[in-house]
Amino acid sequence: MRAKGIPAEARAEAERLREELNYHVYRYYTLDDPVVSDAEYDEKYRRLSDLEADYPGLVTPDSPTQRVGPPPAAGFAPVSHRGRMLSLDNAFNQDELRAFADRVARGLGGRASTVAYVCELKMDGVAVALTYEEGLLTQGATRGDGETGEDITPNLRTVPAVPLRLLSASPPQLIEVIGEVYMPEASFQNLNKERLEKGEPVFANPRNAAAGSLRQLNPAVTASRSLSMVTFGVAYSTGDIPATHWDELDYLRELGFRLGEHNVRCATIDEAADFCAGWQEKRRELDYEIDGVVVKVDSRTQQAALGATSKSPRWAIAYKFPPEEKTTTVDDILVSVGRTGVLTPVAVMEPVFVGGSTVTHATLHNEDEVRRKDVRVGDTVIVRKAGDVIPEIVKVITDKRSGKERAFKMPGRCPVCNSKVEREEGEAATRCVNIACPAQTFGRIAHFAGRGVMDIDGLGEVTISMLLDRGFIGDVGDIFYVTPEQLYELPGFKEKSVDNLMKAIDAARDRPLWRLLYGLGIRHVGAHMAQVLAKRFPSIDAVSAASEDDLLTVEGVGPNIAESVVFFFDQQENMRVIEKLRRAGVRMADEARTRRKGGPLEGKTFVLTGALVGFTREQASDIIEELGGRVTSSVSKKTDYVLAGAEPGSKLDKAQALGVTVIDEAEFKRLTRT
Ligand code: IVH
């Protein structure tokens, strides 16, 4: 047996790490209240992975490393629910909510003088049932038709808010918990953005995205989807359940489950009605979608007395909000041209009030999306808007067609500069090929000056247009040569506004390198990628000198990104703009991190393993890089030094096998004079 060969210290350490890491997942995803930095978490996680790689016998099913497992062998197996998973009756207004309370009072035959209620926000996601045996998650299933669902255990294990093990020291022998898996609004937006870039169809709403993510055959895909979960009840337990729903929720919290964050207990139906009305107004403040409030009788004795119909319990009701969807008509489909030359079809609609604002335009993303949705000029469509989110056309009501609708055709020439447009094979986007296209120039400058990029306050779209029209600027480099005299020529500019804009432009000379990289508008280099590149390359010159192979050694950089970075710096026009920026005094490097040329570690490659005492791994990496060295993650013949801390992992063995120099912390300090 392999297990015999595991040293007791390794076993104890793995157990400690597992507990610590599970606790941190719980703090972060369930309580939304982390107590360690991401870097600390990553470090511990890496250590546990190393240990488990060295001693596979240490792997347990509740290890945080085991969230992504192998896919189910043959699709999703059917699961019979222990008790039927009921659905809920709906109330569409306050009168119907009160009618529900009347039914409850009658159902209790006047035996109850008061009925207390619990209100929970109704998450718009996918209902799931989780089974724990002896405290360990053994099965996770969809609701399905209420009787039979699908076994999606490997996928549910990847959702961080799903505990792999219950927190209790004496859990019931078997417990089945029900909850809702959902996708937060921001994750939904990001996912759709990525899918659009890859030419994949977008999800219509977060609920569809959550459902699609849970029904993946590869759990790694589910894991990448940022899903969360709230729980709202025990469907079955071999142990005792508290006497009220409110206490049942508390019990679930103690077991380590995440609850809805705004649950309340109401002494009367009036209070519950106020809660419903309140959230109907405030629903857009949430960073996830709700479609109503679930109102439940609190006492489980009363619940039992009320019972259920074949479809739904008589003790609960879903107070449904009016949908954030409206119908309107499409007056026209225009095509706008963005900073990368992409042509985007945009529907112009009869103004309609939806999701808190009046909507007149909805992006149709690209040619394929228009075709998929088959939106035509003159169509009646359903428009949806959630929160601050951009409105979108959910679908066409084809029944309302008269036959006079006009189908959309992507123009063969750029609507702004009349140049040729192209659609590359395998790409969803159609682009204007003229990089001097005024729409692209405008878009590039607006992006560069924008918030979160170079942050030039006061240089908005209107001002940029005026400067372009007068020929005062033609590219992003020109911004830094604009004079106060030129600004005075613009309508509306007075001493104060001129002064402010000049100061804002000056301040932008000193932005960190990543913002400049991001601002240049290199294809596939968004804010995150710009940060990754700036971390690895200390200056614009270093990035522009990097080959595709150099770029590919950076974690997170794939062939598309590497190619587009090299392509960007190969264009003379782009280099000319960079020189212009340099001459204007725009910062081209991150001083603090500039790798010292000719530093004592110039050209040396390090791998770190084990725990260090005097510094964190990040600090050690910073020191190495500042002295001209490089840190990589795996040991090879090209590695110059392996810095081994306490309890090093398998990397040490590999270093010894390859004859790579291994140094300890004391030697590292001597080497780096730190
Ligand atoms: S209780 C026996 N509570 O709404 C009653 N359901 O229309 C079981 N839902 O299938 C449901 N939030 O997907 C309950 N706080 C909540 C809920 C909730 C969302 C969903 C759930 C259920 C559907 C019923």
Side-chain angles (χ1 to χ4, degrees):
M1 278 277 290
R2 179 86 218 234
K4 286 219 181 86
I6 302 176
E9 313 84 72
R11 184 180 295 283
E13 192 192 357
E15 191 169 321
R16 180 174 57 74
L17 286 168
R18 201 161 57 224
E19 264 175 38
E20 273 183 42
L21 287 163
N22 277 334
Y23 177 68
H24 293 316
V25 171
Y26 169 71
R27 296 291 309 204
Y28 190 97
Y29 290 100
T30 301
L31 302 185
D32 298 319
D33 184 21
V35 286
V36 290
S37 68
D38 291 1
E40 263 174 90
Y41 177 85
D42 291 344
E43 176 137 6
K44 288 186 202 291
Y45 186 96
R46 230 177 294 138
R47 175 71 190 136
L48 179 60
S49 304
D50 284 352
L51 273 175
E52 290 178 342
D54 288 351
Y55 305 107
L58 290 178
V59 178
T60 60
D62 66 330
S63 168
T65 62
Q66 300 301 303
R67 284 202 177 257
V68 182
F76 302 116
V79 175
S80 303
H81 295 299
R82 231 159 240 98
R84 250 174 78 80
M85 270 178 89
L86 296 176
S87 92
L88 295 173
D89 267 350
N90 296 321
F92 291 102
N93 51 49
Q94 296 264 328
D95 288 347
E96 291 183 19
L97 181 62
R98 284 176 202 278
F100 157 74
D102 291 344
R103 285 199 299 280
V104 166
R106 258 183 281 123
L108 294 173
R111 268 168 288 143
S113 52
T114 55
V115 181
Y117 293 92
V118 172
C119 294
E120 299 161 15
L121 300 185
K122 189 168 184 302
M123 315 297 294
D124 205 2
V126 179
V128 297
L130 303 167
T131 308
Y132 292 81
E133 289 170 67
E134 308 292 357
L136 261 192
L137 174 67
T138 49
Q139 189 178 72
T142 59
R143 173 176 180 278
D145 63 4
E147 258 168 62
T148 316
E150 284 179 314
D151 184 347
I152 52 165
T153 315
N155 292 346
L156 281 171
R157 289 176 62 88
T158 71
V159 177
V162 171
L164 298 177
R165 173 188 288 281
L166 301 180
L167 281 185
S168 162
S170 51
Q173 191 272 321
L174 189 148
I175 182 169
E176 189 177 312
V177 171
I178 51 174
E180 191 95 348
V181 170
Y182 67 96
M183 185 177 286
E185 190 67 43
S187 315
F188 167 69
Q189 294 302 334
N190 281 337
L191 175 62
N192 267 354
K193 204 170 140 230
E194 275 172 26
R195 289 175 71 85
L196 260 181
E197 280 166 11
K198 288 196 226 143
E200 296 171 0
V202 294
F203 288 109
N205 53 47
R207 173 167 29 84
N208 289 359
S213 304
L214 280 182
R215 294 199 77 264
Q216 291 290 330
L217 282 176
N218 181 358
V221 177
T222 314
S224 72
R225 293 284 174 85
S226 309
L227 296 170
S228 193
M229 180 189 66
V230 295
T231 42
F232 43 72
V234 177
Y236 177 88
S237 176
T238 53
D240 291 336
I241 307 171
T244 64
H245 183 64
W246 187 245
D247 290 342
E248 177 182 332
L249 290 174
D250 232 20
Y251 171 66
L252 284 171
R253 188 205 317 277
E254 281 164 19
L255 290 181
F257 290 99
R258 189 160 178 267
L259 305 181
E261 50 181 350
H262 297 289
N263 298 344
V264 290
R265 189 171 179 279
C266 299
T268 62
I269 194 70
D270 290 338
E271 275 180 39
D274 285 348
F275 181 84
C276 293
W279 279 105
Q280 185 162 322
E281 288 309 307
K282 288 183 297 185
R283 63 192 290 197
R284 282 183 294 277
E285 291 170 15
L286 299 166
D287 56 7
Y288 44 82
E289 288 211 342
I290 57 174
D291 57 346
V293 172
V294 182
V295 181
K296 300 174 178 174
V297 169
D298 188 30
S299 154
R300 296 192 47 246
T301 317
Q302 291 179 349
Q303 287 183 8
L306 288 161
T309 67
S310 62
K311 288 207 306 274
S312 46
R314 292 197 187 87
W315 47 264
I317 195 137
Y319 178 90
K320 284 289 199 66
F321 297 151
E324 306 245 327
E325 289 182 350
K326 285 273 178 69
T327 56
T328 183
T329 52
V330 175
D331 292 339
D332 201 359
I333 298 178
L334 302 178
V335 173
S336 77
V337 184
R339 70 181 161 95
T340 56
V342 173
L343 272 60
T344 307
V346 180
V348 184
M349 302 168 298
E350 275 306 302
V352 58
F353 190 80
V354 56
S357 64
T358 300
V359 166
T360 53
H361 291 71
T363 172
L364 291 165
H365 304 300
N366 57 49
E367 203 177 355
D368 292 351
E369 233 0 66
V370 183
R371 197 159 311 140
R372 207 178 343 255
K373 288 186 175 157
D374 189 20
V375 180
R376 306 179 190 177
V377 177
D379 265 340
T380 302
V381 293
I382 297 176
V383 197
R384 165 184 190 275
K385 182 163 178 282
D388 308 330
V389 169
I390 17 170
E392 63 168 358
I393 291 180
V394 181
K395 66 171 189 185
V396 174
I397 307 180
T398 43
D399 286 355
K400 298 232 167 161
R401 281 207 173 137
S402 67
K404 291 204 192 112
E405 293 74 18
R406 188 160 45 82
F408 171 77
K409 201 165 160 291
M410 196 54 123
R413 299 202 154 262
C414 172
V416 177
C417 72
N418 207 33
S419 302
K420 230 176 59 185
V421 300
E422 260 175 20
R423 183 172 167 183
E424 274 169 51
E425 183 114 354
E427 279 223 15
T430 305
R431 287 169 203 277
C432 162
V433 296
N434 171 20
I435 74 151
C437 170
Q440 291 190 43
T441 306
F442 170 82
R444 277 196 297 269
I445 297 173
H447 165 73
F448 183 88
R451 255 219 226 137
V453 193
M454 294 296 270
D455 262 334
I456 310 184
D457 234 14
L459 190 56
E461 297 195 348
V462 177
T463 308
I464 293 172
S465 285
M466 295 192 293
L467 291 167
L468 277 166
D469 288 348
R470 286 166 180 72
F472 294 158
I473 58 174
D475 59 46
V476 299
D478 295 333
I479 295 172
F480 298 95
Y481 299 84
V482 167
T483 63
E485 292 70 34
Q486 290 173 328
L487 292 181
Y488 277 117
E489 283 186 35
L490 308 182
F493 271 82
K494 304 245 156 59
E495 197 175 330
K496 183 121 179 100
S497 41
V498 169
D499 195 42
N500 283 345
L501 184 49
M502 290 308 293
K503 282 199 184 119
I505 292 174
D506 194 41
R509 288 189 164 89
D510 198 32
R511 298 279 180 250
L513 174 63
W514 75 264
R515 285 175 178 260
L516 178 61
L517 270 170
Y518 178 32
L520 290 173
I522 306 167
R523 225 165 128 188
H524 303 306
V525 178
H528 173 71
M529 188 40 60
Q531 288 175 40
V532 169
L533 291 174
K535 193 148 188 228
R536 172 66 180 275
F537 300 98
S539 65
I540 281 279
D541 295 335
V543 185
S544 67
S547 68
E548 278 187 38
D549 283 343
D550 294 336
L551 288 159
L552 284 170
T553 63
V554 182
E555 200 167 310
V557 175
N560 283 344
I561 297 173
E563 193 189 328
S564 78
V565 170
V566 169
F567 178 82
F568 181 89
F569 291 104
D570 268 353
Q571 307 305 302
Q572 265 189 1
E573 174 59 22
N574 292 335
M575 292 311 287
R576 207 180 51 73
V577 172
I578 288 167
E579 285 320 306
K580 204 187 273 186
L581 289 164
R582 192 193 308 274
R583 268 185 283 115
V586 174
R587 204 166 99 189
M588 298 277 139
D590 279 348
E591 296 309 333
R593 293 187 57 90
T594 303
R595 215 170 264 153
R596 262 200 252 155
K597 272 259 166 61
L601 302 185
E602 170 91 35
K604 300 287 186 226
T605 305
F606 283 71
V607 172
L608 311 182
T609 177
L612 303 175
V613 182
F615 357 63
T616 65
R617 282 197 197 198
E618 266 75 42
Q619 287 168 336
S621 304
D622 282 350
I623 293 168
I624 293 167
E625 287 178 359
E626 275 164 30
L627 298 178
R630 216 175 264 286
V631 180
T632 61
S633 56
S634 61
V635 182
S636 77
K637 272 189 288 191
K638 290 195 194 141
T639 309
D640 293 293
Y641 297 100
V642 168
L643 168 57
E647 305 177 69
S650 55
K651 289 173 187 168
L652 179 61
D653 303 338
K654 187 150 179 210
Q656 283 162 345
L658 291 173
V660 173
T661 309
V662 177
I663 56 172
D664 64 11
E665 205 168 319
E667 273 173 277
F668 177 72
K669 284 186 182 163
R670 267 196 298 284
L671 199 64
T672 55
R673 287 175 229 117
T674 45

